[in-house]
């Protein structure tokens, strides 16, 4: 198939509807991350409590992705997306009007995971419209909704300071999510090639396969690293470099932009060069950058290191999901939910690692060294399994085998 046929091979309104849904949902999912520095003025927290607050939305998203992944297969990605957006309004209204204690805020943070679970509906909605050789680009465009993080880090603290209230940010977030709900309802369509609904037993069948677990590990590092740092970097900049809430969030935005906008680049390059080959390079880059950050260099240098590191992690998300549809094309909804949940668990663990080690050592050095070591272990694992993948379902370097459309056995 010719390269220029991508735009003719799928359904553009659905592709961009999936992007908008994921984009606004992601913005809401990470809302507490940048706001945490302002919130802790009302609710004083130690380093572990701060880490837990920004990690809870990721945990909620991780759990609920399994639910939305199942619903995507059972009732379709469009209806699942509509349901997800309506349910997302619950924590927004609660955070806007009814929070009066840190415990209630923890509940709101956990419920924001509904927005994070959008992953399990948005990506299959886009993916099912496109042939195997264009999966990297299609999933990359839809997955570039990671860029919603930029809106939170760039505007949340400014809005909170302007109105003198962090609660009002939750109320104003209702406007974009309901607007996207209307557009999504009008323009998104389920693919006519959507697989038949799967039963709960299919989850067990998928999880009995080694590759499903391997993808979970790979994605818990790339996506977990990206979303975990997106939520935690405002605290890191505020604590380590004594920056104001707005300035700390601005520098977080710079780093987040790299991860967000390089996700589709990772997908495109993986289509051309192979997902395994790309992911190996990106893991190597992320490992080096995180190791360098552990030395706690001057602010100007640490921003460059985190920018490149987040770029590698974001592009790595696109690389992983260039591989997933090749291996599990007939179970893409289920696998997206499972792998996405694993990515969320990685994002939940990262702030806790940094926060806990900072509390016990008063330094971020051990935390970033551990993160770099985790990336190294993932790179070694990928190197070890790629040969067996090539023998069974993957082309050279992770290229798609166009002639084999079904699931590898």
């Amino acid at each position: 198939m010719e390269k220029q046929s991508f735009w003719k091979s799928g359904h553009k309104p659905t592709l961009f509807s999936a992007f908008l849904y994921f984009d606004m949902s992601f913005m809401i999912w990470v809302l507490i991350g940048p706001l945490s520095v302002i919130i802790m003025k009302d609710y004083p927290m130690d380093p572990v409590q701060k880490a837990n607050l920004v990690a809870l939305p990721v945990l909620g998203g991780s759990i609920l992705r399994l639910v939305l992944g199942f619903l995507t297969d059972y009732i379709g990605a469009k209806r699942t997306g509509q349901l997800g957006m309506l349910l997302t309004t619950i924590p927004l209204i609660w955070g806007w009007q009814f929070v009066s204690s840190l415990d209630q805020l923890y509940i709101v943070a956990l419920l924001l995971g509904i927005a994070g679970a959008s992953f399990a509906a948005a990506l299959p909605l886009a993916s099912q419209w496109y042939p195997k050789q264009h999966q990297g680009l299609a999933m990359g465009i839809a997955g570039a909704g990671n860029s919603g993080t930029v809106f939170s880090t760039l505007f949340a603290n400014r809005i909170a300071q302007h109105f003198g209230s962090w609660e009002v940010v939750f109320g104003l977030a209702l406007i974009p999510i309901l607007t996207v709900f209307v557009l999504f309802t009008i323009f998104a369509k389920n693919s006519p090639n959507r697989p038949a609904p799967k039963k709960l037993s299919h989850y067990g069948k998928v999880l009995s396969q080694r590759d499903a677990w391997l993808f979970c590990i790979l994605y818990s590092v790339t996506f977990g690293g990206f979303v975990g740092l997106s939520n935690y970097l405002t605290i890191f900049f505020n604590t380590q470099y004594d920056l104001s809430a707005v300035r700390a969030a601005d520098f977080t935005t710079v780093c987040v932009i790299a991860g967000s906008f390089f996700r589709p680049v990772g997908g495109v390059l993986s289509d051309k060069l192979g997902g395994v080959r790309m992911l190996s390079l990106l893991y190597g880059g992320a490992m080096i950058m995180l190791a360098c950050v552990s030395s706690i260099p001057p602010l100007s240098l640490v921003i460059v290191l985190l920018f490149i590191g987040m770029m590698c992690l974001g592009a790595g998300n696109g690389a992983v999901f260039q591989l997933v549809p090749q291996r599990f094309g007939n179970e893409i909804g289920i696998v997206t939910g499972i792998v996405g949940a694993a990515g969320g668990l990685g994002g939940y663990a990262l702030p806790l690692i940094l926060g806990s080690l900072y509390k016990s050592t008063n330094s971020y050095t051990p935390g970033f060294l551990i993160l770099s070591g985790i990336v190294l272990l993932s790179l070694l694992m990928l190197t070890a399994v790629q040969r067996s993948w090539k023998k069974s379902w993957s082309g050279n370097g992770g290229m798609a085998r166009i002639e084999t459309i079904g699931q590898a056995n």
Side-chain angles (χ1 to χ4, degrees):
M1 186 173 289
E2 298 178 356
K3 294 180 181 179
Q4 65 265 28
S5 65
F6 170 80
W7 296 110
K8 298 178 181 179
S9 63
H11 190 254
K12 292 189 289 293
T14 297
L15 178 62
F16 287 104
S17 294
F19 165 78
L20 286 175
Y21 165 41
F22 196 29
D23 197 54
M24 290 299 100
S25 295
F26 215 98
M27 176 192 75
I28 291 168
W29 190 29
V30 302
L31 202 56
I32 280 184
L35 285 174
S36 59
V37 175
I38 294 177
I39 291 173
M40 66 185 183
K41 295 177 181 178
D42 291 338
Y43 304 105
M45 292 172 271
D46 64 29
V48 174
Q49 288 176 313
K50 285 188 281 187
N52 195 43
L53 178 64
V54 301
L56 278 173
V58 188
L59 177 62
S62 183
I63 296 169
L64 290 170
R65 281 181 186 192
L66 295 172
V67 178
L68 264 67
F70 175 75
L71 289 176
T72 293
D73 275 325
Y74 190 73
I75 66 173
K78 179 173 180 176
R79 288 183 180 178
T80 302
Q82 290 170 314
L83 178 62
M85 282 185 273
L86 290 177
L87 291 176
T88 296
T89 63
I90 294 174
L92 291 178
I93 294 172
W94 193 343
W96 175 31
Q97 293 290 331
F98 303 111
V99 169
S100 58
S101 68
L102 183 58
D103 288 340
Q104 290 183 17
L105 189 59
Y106 281 154
I107 296 174
V108 169
L110 189 64
L111 290 177
L112 286 175
I114 298 169
S118 60
F119 184 101
L123 266 64
L125 181 67
S127 170
Q128 290 165 358
W129 278 98
Y130 289 87
K132 212 168 190 180
Q133 63 270 28
H134 292 313
Q135 287 291 322
L137 180 55
M139 298 284 261
I141 290 173
N146 285 347
S147 60
T149 308
V150 173
F151 297 115
S152 288
T153 56
L154 191 60
F155 297 115
N157 287 344
R158 285 184 166 82
I159 293 172
Q161 288 195 350
H162 177 76
F163 287 98
S165 166
W166 55 265
E167 292 93 342
V168 74
V169 180
F170 285 80
L172 291 175
L174 289 165
I175 298 173
I177 195 65
L178 291 176
T179 300
V180 171
F181 173 82
V182 173
L183 295 174
F184 186 90
T185 299
I186 295 172
F187 294 108
K189 292 183 179 180
N190 287 317
S191 170
N193 299 318
R194 182 168 68 94
K198 302 296 190 298
K199 299 178 180 179
L200 283 174
S201 60
H202 286 90
Y203 279 88
K205 182 179 179 181
V206 168
L207 287 172
S208 69
Q209 301 180 61
R210 183 196 68 165
D211 287 348
W213 291 98
L214 293 176
F215 284 131
C216 285
I217 295 171
L218 296 174
Y219 201 64
S220 70
V221 173
T222 58
F223 184 78
F226 170 78
V227 74
L229 288 173
S230 297
N231 274 301
Y232 194 79
L233 281 181
T234 300
I235 295 174
F236 169 70
F237 286 129
N238 174 259
T239 303
Q240 182 65 45
Y241 296 97
D242 198 28
L243 301 182
S244 68
V246 170
R247 196 167 181 223
D250 284 346
F251 285 129
T252 300
T253 301
V254 172
C255 300
V256 165
I257 284 174
S260 299
F261 290 97
F262 275 86
R263 175 163 184 151
V265 174
V268 172
L269 291 177
S270 295
D271 280 339
K272 295 180 179 180
L273 304 176
V276 172
R277 188 177 290 117
M278 275 301 303
L279 195 55
S280 299
L281 294 172
L282 295 167
Y283 272 151
M287 176 192 66
I288 294 170
M289 294 304 107
L290 291 170
C292 292
V293 171
S294 72
S295 67
I296 314 298
L299 179 62
S300 57
L301 178 56
V302 83
I303 292 171
V304 173
L305 294 173
L306 286 169
F307 181 93
I308 298 173
M310 291 282 273
M311 178 185 72
C312 292
L313 293 172
N317 293 333
V320 172
F321 269 92
Q322 184 264 353
L323 294 169
V324 170
Q326 295 184 51
R327 176 62 178 85
F328 293 102
N330 293 330
E331 298 90 5
I332 187 63
I334 291 176
V335 177
T336 297
I338 292 172
V339 173
L345 288 176
Y348 172 69
L350 186 150
L352 296 181
I353 290 172
L354 293 176
S356 298
L357 289 173
Y358 182 82
K359 182 179 180 180
S360 60
T361 67
N362 200 36
S363 171
Y364 282 114
T365 295
F368 279 104
L369 280 176
I370 287 176
L371 297 181
S372 178
I374 291 172
V375 179
L376 173 60
L377 291 175
S378 299
L379 175 58
L380 294 175
M381 184 195 76
L382 179 63
T383 302
V385 302
Q386 62 177 322
R387 183 173 298 178
S388 65
W389 284 357
K390 186 176 179 180
K391 291 179 179 179
S392 56
W393 57 268
S394 172
N396 186 38
M399 297 285 288
R401 292 181 179 178
I402 300 175
E403 72 277 8
T404 55
I405 301 301
Q407 174 189 349
N409 292 312

